[in-house]
Every structure is written in structure tokens, then in C-alpha cells.
Amino acid sequence: MASHIVGYPRMGPKRELKFALESFWDKKSSAEDLQKVAADLRSAIWKQMADAGIKYIPSNTFSYYDQVLDATSMLGAVPPRYGWNGGEIRFDTYFSMARGNASVPAMEMTKWFDTNYHFIVPELGPDVNFSYASHKAVDEYKEAKSLGVDTVPVLVGPVSYLLLSKPAKGVEKTFSLLSLLPKILPIYKEVISELKAAGASWIQFDEPTLVLDLDSHQLQAFTAAYADLESALSGLNVLIETYFADLTTEAYKTLVGLKGVTAYGLDLVRGTQTIDLVKAGFPEGKYLFAGVVDGRNIWANDLASSLSTLQQLEAIVGKDKLVVSTSCSLLHTAVDLVNETKLDDEIKSWLAFAAQKVVEVNALAKALAGQKDEAFFAANAAAQASRKSSPRVTNEAVQKAAAALKGSDHRRATNVSARLDAQQKKLNLPVLPTTTIGSFPQTLELRRVRREFKANKISEDNYIKAIKEEIKKVVDLQEELDIDVLVHGEPERNDMVEYFGEQLSGFAFTVNGWVQSYGSRCVKPPIIYGDVSRPKPMTVFWSSTAQSMTQRPMKGMLTGPVTILNWSFVRNDQPRFETCYQIALAIKDEVEDLEKAGINVIQIDEAALREGLPLRKSEHAFYLKWAVHSFRITNCGVQDTTQIHTHMCYSNFNDIIHSIIDMDADVITIENSRSDEKLLSVFREGVKYGAGIGPGVYDIHSPRIPSTEEIADRINKMLAVLETNILWVNPDCGLKTRKYAEVKPALNNMVAAAKLLRTQLASAK
């Protein structure tokens, strides 16, 4: 019985690629140095899978930044502003598209489906001259082959590539991206031809957009694309991989009807109903790559349950046509449990990271072939039983408090307009008030202090002294820049979710459980294994300390319950909304303690609220109801004069704008600049927004420093669709990933732009 892995984490078990990328970007190492690190990582990954007995090992799932950007490079679809003149795309062009450079901004970045991974959105139009400009897929196949590993090259499928793209600036928004299929398919044929010549026998096309709500025209594009590719694919086994949700009946019919396709990869973890489609009819002689091992969470697989599912499928598709697989790429999980030295043995027995999932996949394949490892299965069953019965999972008081939430919508008693009036009397802010989103640059010295404190190498007194000094530096800088509402810069936090999870019960933490978010940015999601509560205040000391250093309003900075949920590895033994309500109650306690401590502005970030939106529209309403309700729970008890902010970033918000309004925050800061200001289109179309709003005026994920004039132009575009008295001026997101040499001039220009507009507005009266 065969086994398959959809894709694998790229960063390395100790984030080797992250450090190599950042060293290269900082001009501290060469392109050759970076390529050497990458080659060593790829080699280790392929060897690990081969040693584990995996038959279908993927190649070309490694990326220096993002797999969609890799596809853009393969197709030569470089926007003209990057000055690329043809030929093989090199690092300078590649990273300029991803990160921008001194003279031009980066391409838009947005969330990959409903994950915390981000991809670079292709910018396309009728005049794009596609050409075969990156041979990465073929080069990596040959590289693996030279190491004795025959791999399955993976490409982003042509239809999903176009459906995930957007019309370039200046192209009509109604332009049909799918009309470009005839232009990109010849390049796919060139790649296929080279892969065949290199000896490939299988090829995998990732077509995850098949799980979305697609119309008949979009589904027809899949049929047309693979009919066109059929002759080029002749002689190859072709796998179409889907993931993250169920297929509709229509999408399933389209998938299994594609010409020239040998195998279909289905997510049977999140696609719980897809198995019914398989039972109702599966094409004879085709392979089913059954995704029964969860690629998006870290819980050990219930091997007995998965084996039962596989046996049912085997009876339908045939013994030699069933392949055991992961539900999606393992990119979304941590790398290797072996590197976790601080997790206690009980919790560790409940977990499986990417390396362990590879072993699970192969164990299931062997069991299905009659070579069951009885000891391995017995240990797995014991761990499953331990998790179900462990007293540390359940807290009756928490469950009772969460159950008592039913029956109220937890809205503040006064409407937002009256609250804003009361807050303005207290805060006395100017028109177009300026603020930042929370974090300031995390210097090497600051990281060293936190690291040494965690390792007990410095005392608590010395740690507190160092953090206070950092806060004072950040406060003084903001006052010098004349920012209106300040932040303390979050120097005590390595990660916004991890920081809170460490202080809440029901959470566990890893040492090396890093997951790529975008580029070199990695996050270490906490593990929610049990009921959640707040034993004691989490941020009050630092917020009060910062407020004592200034007369200006100081924001208390919290992460909201939906974001903590969506950016954690969440327990899978109860509905997600129940866990979210528990977190909301814990954050509510913190909000009320901050208010008692004299903090008049409290920001509760919900950066990931949109990210958790189910991929199918039929499931949107239920998710948004409990997600928005969870946010309102956190702040329903504060006074009218306490201003509640929230922040959202890097997603398409236009389709949930009414739910955002229903959150009933006093002020929302929201990503806007990198996505071509498409957020503003919702207000141009007549949506009325009465609360304070700060669409980001510059992109913090690029080192580029915007001019005062550029920022003023952005603010003027906002003023064309938003009332002057509700508009705030702020960056897109937090500043932790930037350097002070970039932050100071950018914020200086931002404040100067706000002041310029205030003067113009005053003189226009």
C-alpha cells in the first residue's frame, strides 16, 4: 500500500531558512550561502521521507518566499514596475516582488484560504507577456533525483493560479482572469515536457480552489484546462490535489471527469462529507489519495479510526488504487516533536508534528497492506484514551461560565456615536488622530534580554528594568514624533498570541514549534489542550507602567479571543466556538482590570477574524455570529468613556464589513495600503460606518519608506469616502519586523501628512 505527503515545512527544524534569508537580505551573506542552506534543507526533507518509507515524495514544495510567487516567476508574470527584462528570474526581482524595494512597493499579500499562511497575489491583465522564466520545478526534481530520490513535482494548478490572482492596477476589475488560460497553458506544457525529459513519472497539480463555491463557468475552466494539457501529460501519472474543505457535488463531478488525470487527492479531515461523494461513485481504475492525516493541526492521528475509514475506501476504489496521504501540505504544522524538550510526557504523547505525521502516514499504509505495527497502534490508542480522560483537560467552573453566556448578545448599553462623544471629551484628540498598531521594532538586544530571562540567566529585577527602559525609549520616540495615542511597543512579547497563551490555563507551549506565516516570518502557535481561564492579570503592570511615563493616552494592548483561537493549535475534542467563548471570558477579565487601572484606550486585536471564515458561504453566518459575539463579550462591561479599539490585517474584508460593524468597536484600524486600498471601495459603494476607522496609510511589511506626499494622498482618498471626524491615521500593522532606521522616518512622514491635512481642512472651513 502506497503513501504520499502533499507538502512539507520549508523553514527547517530550527528555522535555518529564516536566518539564511534575513542574513541575505541584510547583505551579510551571499546568494550562494542562501542556496546552500536551502539545498541542505531540501536534501534532509527528501531523505527523511524516503527513510520513512513514503512512496510519493513531493518536490518543488520548497520556496524561498511563497509557492504562488514561485508560480508567478515560472510564468514570467512580473509586474512592469520591477524592471525585469526577461531571462531567468533572479533573487533581486523575486524578492522585490515579495518585499518591495527602495523605489517600488511589494505586491499584495493575503491569507492562503483560511490559514495563517500568506501568499503573494499575482497581478494580471490582458497585456501580460507570459514566458517560461523560472526552471525551479525541473531543477528541484533533478536535484532530488541526483540524491537517489524520485519525487512527484508539485505545481500550483493553472486554474487555481488564475482564480487566486487579481486584475493589475489599471485593468478593469471586471476583466476575466480565466481568459488568460490559453496564454499560460503553453508555459505549463513547457514545464511538463522538461519534467518528462528529466524522468518524472508523476506530477501533482494543486487545485485547492476546487473546494470554493464556484460557478459553472469557473468549473468549466478546469475541464478546458486539463483537456488542453491532456496530450502534453500523456505518459505521466497526474494527481490533482484538493484540500481545506469538502467538494461540492458539482466540483467533485468536474474533478473526476478531468481528461488525462490519474489520481485525485481529497482532504478527508476538513472535508468530512467528501467521503460520501466517493461512496456514491468513484471512477474505475483511478487512484484516490486519501488525506486522513491532518496537515493543519498537531494532534496525533486516531490511527484506529483512520484505518477503519481507509478500509471502507479500499472496498470502493480497490486495494492497489488507494494511497494514504496527508489532508494538505504539512507546511501548516510544526516540524518535529523530537526538538521539544520542555513539553511534559503526557501532553507530548497526544501530539504529532510534521515528522511524526510522515510516520503515521506510512504506518497506516503498512497496516492497510497487512503489515500493522501492533506496538505503534497500541501506543497510539493509549495516548488517545489518556487525552480523553485526563483531568487537566476539563475545568467545570469554566464550562459553567461559558454555558451561562447563552441568552445575551453582550452589547454595550450606549450606541457608538454617544460613546465617541463621551470619549472625545475625556481624550481631547485632534482631527485625524495618529496612532500605531502596537508593536515597535524588536531589536537584537531586546530579544537577548527576553531569551536570557527565560533561561534564568538574568534576574526578574534586571529583566523588568530592561523592559521599562525599552518602554521609555518607545514612549519618548512617540512623543518626539508627536503621535497622539501611544503604545508601549510590546517589548515583553515575542509573539502576540504566545504571550497571552503563556498566562492562560489550558495552553501548552513548544520550544521549536515554529510555523511559517510569510517569507521569513515564523510564528510559534500555542497548543490549546484544555478549558481556558485567566489565573491573574496579564498586561496591567506593563500598561500602567507605560501610562505613568506620559500625559498622552496609552493604549492597553490585548489579543482578541478569535485571533488567539485562529492562531493556535486548537483542541479538536469540542466545537471551536466553545473554546472561543472561554477565551473571551478570560480577555473580558483583563479588559476590566485595565480599565480599573486607569487605561482609557484598550485595543483588542482581531487580526485573524476574517481568516477563520469558512471557505463555503453556507457556513459563514454561523461562524460570524459566534466570532463577533466573542469579541463583544470581551468589552461589554466597560464605561462609555473607555475607548475600545480593534485591529485587522491582510485579508479581504469587504464581504464581512457588516459583521465588522456589528463588532461595535469604537475604533477599528485595518490593513489597506498593500491591497490597493480595495477596503475603501466598500465605503464608495454606500456602506455607512459610524465608528472610528483607521485604514492603514503605509505597508509595514516592506522596508520602503513612504513620503509625506504619498501618505497625504492616501488620506485624501479616505476622506473622499469617510467622515473627517471618524478617520484615524496609522500604519497597516505592527512594527516589530521593521528596523528603527525605517520606522522613524516613516512615522515622521505619517504624522507630517496628518498635520498637513489638518491645516488644509481648517483653512477650508
Side-chain angles (χ1 to χ4, degrees), residues 6 154-158 160 204-208 239-243:
V6 176
V154 179
L155 300 177
V156 175
S160 287
Q204 174 179 320
F205 291 99
D206 280 6
E207 292 282 14
L239 165 63
I240 306 295
E241 187 66 53
T242 70
Y243 37 79

Side-chain angles (χ1 to χ4, degrees), residues 196-310:
K196 283 165 77 170
S201 57
W202 279 83
I203 187 169
Q204 174 179 320
F205 291 99
D206 280 6
E207 292 282 14
T209 56
L210 270 166
V211 306
L212 302 177
D213 292 311
L214 302 179
D215 61 33
S216 57
H217 171 67
Q218 292 167 321
L219 289 172
Q220 177 56 33
F222 288 93
T223 304
Y226 288 93
D228 192 317
L229 291 173
E230 184 180 13
S231 59
L233 290 167
S234 175
L236 277 174
N237 290 296
V238 180
L239 165 63
I240 306 295
E241 187 66 53
T242 70
Y243 37 79
F244 297 153
D246 279 304
L247 293 167
T248 63
T249 303
E250 295 77 16
Y252 180 74
K253 284 179 184 171
T254 300
L255 173 66
V256 298
L258 295 178
K259 295 278 181 69
V261 173
T262 319
Y264 316 103
L266 302 176
D267 182 341
L268 301 179
V269 176
R270 289 190 170 229
T272 53
Q273 293 158 38
T274 297
I275 196 164
D276 294 331
L277 296 172
V278 175
K279 288 176 179 175
F282 190 81
E284 193 174 346
K286 303 291 187 181
Y287 288 84
L288 171 59
F289 281 57
V292 293
V293 173
D294 192 350
R296 287 187 55 177
N297 217 328
I298 42 64
W299 303 109
N301 188 270
D302 184 339
L303 296 177
S305 175
S306 293
L307 186 57
S308 172
T309 299
L310 291 165

Side-chain angles (χ1 to χ4, degrees), residues 320-336:
D320 61 335
K321 298 298 181 185
L322 184 63
V323 178
V324 182
S325 184
T326 54
S327 65
C328 62
S329 172
L330 297 175
L331 173 70
H332 309 289
T333 190
V335 179
D336 195 343

